[in-house]
Every structure is written in structure tokens, then in C-alpha cells.
Amino acid sequence: MKTRFYYIVEIQYLGFRYHGWQKQPNVITVQEMVLKTLNWVLPETASKVLASGRTDAKVSVNHTYIEVFTDKKIDDLVCFLEEFNKNLPADIKALSIKPTNAQFNIIQSPKVKEYHYYFAYGEKFHPYCAAFMCNILSDLDIELMQKAATHFVGERDFYSYTFRPTPTTQTRGEVLSCEIIENTELTASFFPEKSYLMKVKGIGFKRNQIRLMMGMLIEIGRHEKSWDEFMATLNGENRIKLMYNAPASGLQLYKVDFIEAD
């Protein structure tokens, strides 16, 4: 396909029934549903789509961007957005669309991402919660977890928090902020009386990094990992392999912001 027209679309979706963003054989993915809808709304138009980043199975997105490439101009963006949303599944929504150009690279453009990880602990919660948060059935030392979360902040080698790194994997990144707070942002009548979220913002997150970070915090909260063991994982030269990847359903990509060039 010879690409002529480029568009940036803001989207959000509930990831619980999808096998992640990227199109794959024999499973339902968000990219597949977006492409099917594009082909329906823009018949006789060759289209493709890229995301600013891929999400894993069951991970939800409150705000991110995708880039749509077409071989024909979309004349009325307002009408397109209305038709696009009308035909998308109920668990995917487009928020806006605007034109861009061939110089824009949605994957390589530097960006700040904010993730939220929702969880509750103690008694088993209502099954409806499963799409939104992780249920830890054991007790957790929340204060210790809060203290540990702040130590992720900084620019460093996150080797231990990169899923299956290879010798060529770039494992350096920067966490701008990280905290565990009581959840007042995501609420429902069936949620437990008290729940929490890890809120983390950064640049250059690695594959499964947030889930590995949350897994470590859960192990600290259960007193299964010592403070010294945790601190050792923050030094990438130690090459520590972490085994506990927190469940995906509690994770939400909350917001993506592109960094403007100086």
C-alpha cells in the first residue's frame, strides 16, 4: 500500500476480553477489531494502523494514541469519528482524530506514559471486579509497599524489571513518579470497601515492567522478599531474574503524552 494520508486517533478500551493490542492468529485483539471497523467505515480504502505502544492480554487503556494510514483522504473527520464509534465494539471508543504527516513516527516519538495498577487484598471480592483490579487474598503491609514504591523513581538500568531481556534489549529507562495510594479514582457499587492503586509515570518502560514492579511490591507486602533483596533488584548490574509477574487485569494504561521537541 502506498501511504498518502496520516491520522492520529485517541482511543480507550477495556482489555479484559482481548488478547492484547497486536493482531495475532486465532485470538481476538484490539488491533484486529479496529482494522475491521476501519475497513467497514472506509470501504474501498486501503488502511493500516499502528499504536503508540502494545498492551498485553486483559490490560485496559484509558487514553492512548494510534496512527491510521489510508490511501484516500478522509474528507469529513467529524462524520468519520461518529461512524467509527458507531461501528466499534462497545468496549473500544475513539475520542478524537486529527491529521498528521509522514514525518511523524508514533512508535519512535518520545512519550511519557502513566500507568495505574488497581488491587485489593483480604477477602475475595465480587467477581465483577475481576475486569478492573487484582485480588490478593493474603494480608499486605501497605505502608512498606508505599515506602518501596518511591524507590523505583529515577533513571537506571531496569534489567530485573524487563521480561525476558536479550543481550541486545535496551533496559535503561526513567520512572518519574511512583506511589501507592488508596483508590478513589475508579469506583463501582460492587467494588470492595477499600482498594488501592499503584500510580507510576515514566519514559521508556520495558516489556511487562509495571507488572514486574507490582509483583515485587506484592511480595514485599507479604513479607516474602526482604528489603535488601528488593534494593538489589534496582541495580541492573546484578542481573536478578524476577519470577512473579502481577496479573494483567489490574493494569491500566492511564495516559500517554508525547514529549514536544525543544
Side-chain angles (χ1 to χ4, degrees):
M1 182 186 74
K2 184 178 179 180
T3 303
R4 300 182 196 170
F5 302 98
Y6 310 80
Y7 302 92
I8 294 295
V9 182
E10 290 180 284
I11 68 166
Q12 56 187 185
Y13 54 85
L14 178 66
F16 196 67
R17 76 182 181 104
Y18 295 105
H19 201 80
W21 160 262
Q22 188 170 8
K23 190 176 181 181
Q24 304 168 59
N26 305 318
V27 293
I28 301 174
T29 68
V30 180
Q31 186 180 32
E32 176 189 5
M33 299 308 297
V34 168
L35 278 171
K36 283 184 176 180
T37 307
L38 279 173
N39 291 334
W40 177 262
V41 175
L42 300 174
E44 301 179 0
T45 303
S47 304
K48 70 175 184 178
V49 61
L50 290 176
S52 62
R54 294 178 292 181
T55 50
D56 293 332
K58 297 188 177 183
V59 175
S60 295
V61 171
N62 177 67
H63 173 270
T64 192
Y65 295 92
I66 62 174
E67 188 171 8
V68 174
F69 306 79
T70 67
D71 66 349
K72 295 180 183 178
K73 184 180 180 181
I74 302 175
D75 293 317
D76 191 330
L77 295 179
V78 174
C79 288
F80 166 81
L81 190 65
E82 182 179 345
E83 286 299 308
F84 193 44
N85 273 316
K86 188 183 295 182
N87 289 279
L88 280 169
D91 49 12
I92 304 175
K93 182 180 180 180
L95 303 173
S96 72
I97 181 171
K98 65 180 182 180
T100 186
N101 53 53
Q103 285 69 51
F104 177 74
N105 187 315
I106 195 168
I107 296 175
Q108 298 299 325
S109 294
K111 56 190 76 73
V112 174
K113 293 183 178 180
E114 181 176 337
Y115 285 92
H116 292 180
Y117 193 99
Y118 295 88
F119 66 99
Y121 72 95
E123 296 183 358
K124 189 165 185 176
F125 56 35
H126 194 292
Y128 290 0
C129 298
F132 306 102
M133 65 176 61
C134 175
N135 193 189
I136 310 299
L137 296 179
S138 55
D139 286 336
L140 292 176
D141 186 337
I142 295 295
E143 288 189 7
L144 186 60
M145 292 170 68
Q146 289 173 325
K147 177 184 175 183
T150 64
H151 286 265
F152 284 118
V153 176
E155 184 177 358
R156 60 168 56 88
D157 184 350
F158 283 98
Y159 180 92
S160 297
Y161 295 91
T162 305
F163 183 69
R164 294 180 181 172
T166 68
T168 60
T169 301
Q170 173 54 255
T171 57
R172 291 199 67 82
E174 182 177 9
V175 172
L176 301 172
S177 62
C178 185
E179 61 179 344
I180 289 179
I181 58 175
E182 189 170 333
N183 170 36
T184 59
E185 299 187 12
L186 192 64
T187 61
S189 61
F190 50 82
F191 276 11
E193 184 176 341
K194 184 175 287 190
S195 58
Y196 299 86
L197 74 143
M198 177 180 70
K199 183 183 294 189
V200 56
K201 184 184 294 187
I203 302 170
F205 285 115
K206 313 309 168 188
R207 184 184 177 194
N208 283 5
Q209 181 176 339
I210 306 300
R211 291 171 60 193
L212 287 167
M213 289 167 60
M214 190 66 220
M216 172 56 68
L217 293 178
I218 291 171
E219 289 184 309
I220 290 172
R222 288 171 169 164
H223 296 164
E224 295 172 349
K225 282 282 195 295
S226 70
W227 190 261
D228 287 343
E229 287 177 306
F230 163 59
M231 293 302 291
T233 68
L234 298 179
N235 183 348
E237 294 181 358
N238 291 328
R239 295 297 194 260
I240 296 170
K241 183 178 180 181
L242 299 179
M243 303 303 296
Y244 183 35
N245 208 350
S249 56
L251 182 58
Q252 177 188 121
L253 174 55
Y254 183 75
K255 190 178 182 183
V256 175
D257 288 314
F258 289 106
I259 301 173
E260 297 292 337
D262 292 333

